Amino acid sequence: MDKIKMTTPLVEMDGDEMTRILWQMIKDELLLPFIDLKTEYYDLGLEYRNETNDQVTHDSAEATLKYGVAVKCATITPNAERMGEYDLKEMWKSPNGTIRARLDGTVFRAPIVVKGIDPMVKCWQGPVTIARHAYGDIYKNAEMKIGGPGKAELVYTALDGTETRALIHEFDGPGILQGVHNTEKSIRSFAKACFNYAIDTKQDLWFGTKDTISKKYDHTFKDIFQEIFDDEYKDKFDEAGISYFYTLIDDAVARVMRDKGGFIWACKNYDGDVMSDMVSSAFGSLAMMTSVLVSPAGVYEYEAAHGTVQRHYYQHLKGLETSTNSVATIFAWSGALRKRGELDGLTDLVNFADKLENATLATIESGRMTKDLGLITTLEDVKVLSSKEFILAIRERL
Ligand code: NAP
Ligand code: MG
């Protein structure tokens, strides 16, 4: 059989721990036998990030802007523990944070729905897709610990030197401070990405912020969404038979739990971080969720929404069998390959992506799955497979 050809390389961002192991297995068993795989490889594993003073992360983001499509493995965001474990020169920033700050845009996270894995929330009949703003707020903050009494102010200095000040707090003892920001440009592209995605997928769009408490910051998000909707999207939404619905974030949370699903929920950066873990867990597993960053420049970065599955990796290092779910990482590859195929007009590559996803879902529906799914499935006659056996079972079907 001739291997499927590619014309433009994918930007491949390798990662850490258990997901790095899965990454290689997926390439060896599910991709390289079928595709003449072209990638430009960036090793975002923590060791190499440390060796290059994190330059490799910045380079991988630039390459994504150049080629248009990237696929990323989960990576360690260092904390104090990791400093010692990896003998780090510095507590390097989160690669996802660095890449998102460079690309800007919106992360769409949708559950991978499969027969036999029923949502924990009984009324959900369709997927709940989270659209997470990927720029700013606490992910691009400045923080301070305050040692004792004193006055904290917000100061904005315009280019002509004029200052605008607002009192934050008069401290009478130690405390903490945080400054966050966003830009009108980024909020506008967030809004447009959400409206476009809603039209593309013919789903209603919900959006919630805390505009009653945050009368300037959150209210600006609300106002910009409404303005863009009224000016540019209202007619298109009517035509597509879908709606845009704004409510307070806490009201949105309460309604989501009672709704039948099948809509997109736009969230500010932090809300999206937290809610996507809730939604994916309620749909079965963190490993049953797709995640793609869509940037305003029209570039795409596909990834898994979960982390590096550290606990399983330590088992693996001890020589013990693991049963780690590779579905989200497989779907990151299939998503990236499909997009590359669409952009380059390669029907075979698009079809391969569909077949890879179908083979993955059919394997689970046949009762062969990893332990995380085995624990919650409604299917009978289930065979729980190891990390490797599961990938081999998919290959057999493929
Ligand atoms: P995690 O890797 O998401 O794993 C947390 C737990 O969720 C696991 O211990 C496992 O539960 C379960 N789990 C997650 N993915 C799974 C999978 N594919 N198959 C089966 N079970 C899965 O989070 P973490 O352990 O808190 O973080 C580990 C590292 O990942 C950290 O260094 C963090 O910085 C990094 N991280 C990276 C990203 C990213 O790059 N996108 C995102 C989040 C975290 P059981 O142990 O019960 O089996
Ligand atoms: Mg998170």
Side-chain angles (χ1 to χ4, degrees), residues 23-236:
W23 194 261
Q24 197 58 49
M25 287 181 193
I26 291 168
K27 282 175 68 179
D28 289 343
E29 303 296 340
L30 302 178
L31 304 176
L32 293 169
F34 307 100
I35 305 175
D36 206 356
L37 192 67
K38 264 191 190 233
T39 72
E40 190 163 295
Y41 180 84
Y42 291 86
D43 183 0
L44 300 199
L46 186 50
E47 276 168 22
Y48 194 63
R49 272 184 276 149
N50 190 52
E51 205 178 306
T52 61
N53 297 326
D54 209 22
Q55 186 59 40
V56 64
T57 308
H58 294 272
D59 292 347
S60 71
E62 291 309 322
T64 305
L65 286 168
K66 176 176 167 194
Y67 290 110
V69 187
V71 55
K72 181 180 172 293
C73 180
T75 46
I76 293 170
T77 299
N79 54 15
E81 245 167 45
R82 302 292 198 169
M83 292 293 289
E85 185 182 354
Y86 284 85
D87 192 17
L88 300 181
K89 294 185 237 174
E90 235 180 78
M91 204 184 285
W92 306 111
K93 290 194 173 151
S94 148
N96 288 325
T98 302
I99 294 164
R100 285 173 199 156
R102 183 69 186 95
L103 304 183
D104 195 354
T106 305
V107 179
F108 293 93
R109 288 189 171 164
I112 299 165
V113 179
V114 58
K115 262 185 244 119
I117 311 292
D118 298 336
M120 237 70 100
V121 181
K122 296 281 174 262
C123 54
W124 288 354
Q125 292 158 22
V128 177
T129 300
I130 301 274
R132 170 182 172 189
H133 186 205
Y135 179 81
D137 302 350
I138 63 163
Y139 302 87
K140 246 328 210 161
N141 62 1
E143 298 188 324
M144 259 185 224
K145 279 196 170 190
I146 305 292
K151 182 164 75 170
E153 286 178 287
L154 275 181
V155 183
Y156 161 71
T157 314
L159 285 180
D160 68 3
T162 3
E163 283 184 358
T164 315
R165 284 169 183 267
L167 176 69
I168 299 171
H169 191 63
E170 304 254 15
F171 284 90
D172 56 13
I176 42 180
L177 261 183
Q178 172 169 241
V180 298
H181 80 280
N182 225 298
T183 67
E184 212 182 289
K185 187 172 163 218
S186 178
I187 301 168
R188 284 186 181 279
S189 67
F190 170 41
K192 288 188 181 186
C194 293
F195 290 133
N196 287 334
Y197 195 82
I199 292 169
D200 282 351
T201 60
K202 291 228 183 329
Q203 297 183 86
D204 291 343
L205 178 69
W206 295 21
F207 184 38
T209 73
K210 198 68 189 173
D211 66 277
T212 46
I213 300 295
S214 171
K215 291 188 183 343
K216 295 220 166 72
Y217 200 102
D218 278 23
H219 215 294
T220 299
F221 278 82
K222 176 185 178 182
D223 292 344
I224 288 177
F225 266 68
Q226 195 61 52
E227 177 208 308
I228 293 180
F229 179 71
D230 292 341
D231 289 354
E232 298 175 39
Y233 289 94
K234 198 175 175 316
D235 296 343
K236 293 181 197 156

Side-chain angles (χ1 to χ4, degrees), residues 100 109 132 139 272-274 276-277 286 305-306:
R100 285 173 199 156
R109 288 189 171 164
R132 170 182 172 189
Y139 302 87
D273 186 353
V274 176
S276 63
D277 278 18
L286 277 178
H306 59 76

